[in-house]
Amino acid sequence: MGGAGAAIILAGGWVFTVVTCLVVYQASQEFYGFVTSKGISAGMMPPPPLVSALTSAMCIGITVWTYLSNGSITAALAVASFAVLSLQLLAVEKPRFSQMTSSVFGLFYCGYLPSFWVKLRVLAVPALNSTAVHKWPVALGGLTHWTVGLLATFMSVACVVAADTGAYAFGKTLGRTQLTSISPKKTVEGAFGGLLCSTAVALGFWRVLAWPAHPALAASLGVLVFLASLFGDLIESVMKRDAGLKDASDFIPGHGGLLDRFDSYIFTGAIVYFVLKFVTPLFGL
């Protein structure tokens, strides 16, 4: 799976976008599995199936539009929200506020946030500061393919994997202190291990590829990715707890649902994109 993921990131373009759309579709299905579960629907009225189907379609549409428009998605989210809320007014005789909020949150969580991975991957700024990248042979893509978007996507995914692996390894061997009651198995020691591994991988990218441009930026990205990974996991844990479910689904045998594997990535793309697009230019990096 890791090799397939690396190939998809390297390919970029439509390949990366189509795979992201598949992830978005399954994530939206699992999200509405939460919303319609007995644990949550007992306290609020879930959206009707027609609205849920349109929301899933709009989530995919936001992702595709992100690629076609080279990263412009803010207006797309507004239009999608209008369409979903308007259909709810027409499809439900007496729509409830809970139905509207769950639909819009579904668009945000399953469509808008994942689309930032596409925004991140399409960043076409050449990684000219990386002297190591200059030495890669043309057969492996040459300079024109080694963009900030490619390196940032690779690094972000690698840091998430490192954060999850480090948290598991440290928590399993050294974990004694519970981190939060939201997820009882998470420990302070495990969180420290995840932070350490994520930061180490980010610094490894800087050391090997000379990207990011400064070790402090690399370390900062490693820390941010860890935090996005941790809190993304905890946010999905809240949904599962309220829904009364152990896993989001049985989509991946032995591992649960796709959201159970990708919850750490939900916010990561947006945070890394924001830092690279808006924060680092302020410091000339």
Side-chain angles (χ1 to χ4, degrees), residues 21-37 48-60 106-107 109-111 114 236 239 243 245 247-251 257-260:
C21 286
L22 295 176
V23 172
V24 163
Y25 172 77
Q26 181 60 28
S28 67
Q29 297 304 296
E30 293 177 1
F31 171 79
Y32 278 105
F34 291 151
V35 173
T36 57
S37 66
L50 181 60
V51 174
S52 299
L54 178 62
T55 303
S56 295
M58 288 294 182
C59 287
I60 295 172
L107 281 173
Y109 187 74
C110 302
E236 199 234 356
M239 297 182 199
L245 299 173
D247 297 316
S249 73
D250 57 357
F251 182 74
L258 185 140
L259 271 179
D260 297 319

Side-chain angles (χ1 to χ4, degrees), residues 126-136 143 146-148 151-152 155 201-219 221 276 285:
L128 296 179
N129 61 303
S130 178
T131 55
V133 167
H134 291 189
K135 299 176 183 178
W136 282 77
L143 271 180
W146 289 94
T147 61
V148 167
L151 295 177
M155 191 197 76
V201 167
L203 288 170
F205 266 76
W206 166 77
R207 183 66 178 175
V208 175
L209 296 176
W211 189 93
H214 196 279
L217 174 58
L221 287 172
L276 296 180
L285 297 173

Side-chain angles (χ1 to χ4, degrees), residues 211-230:
W211 189 93
H214 196 279
L217 174 58
S220 298
L221 287 172
V223 172
L224 288 173
V225 169
F226 161 74
L227 292 174
S229 169
L230 174 63

Side-chain angles (χ1 to χ4, degrees), residues 72-103:
S72 300
I73 57 174
T74 304
L77 176 63
V79 172
S81 299
F82 171 75
V84 168
L85 293 175
S86 297
L87 178 62
Q88 201 140 229
L89 294 177
L90 298 174
V92 183
E93 184 176 354
K94 293 183 178 180
R96 304 291 297 275
F97 181 66
S98 60
Q99 293 174 311
M100 294 183 173
T101 53
S102 61
S103 297

Side-chain angles (χ1 to χ4, degrees), residues 4 41 61 82 98 100 115 119 122 126 131 135 138 144 241 247:
S41 61
F82 171 75
S98 60
M100 294 183 173
S115 69
K119 287 173 71 75
V122 300
T131 55
K135 299 176 183 178
V138 176
T144 56
R241 182 189 63 189
D247 297 316

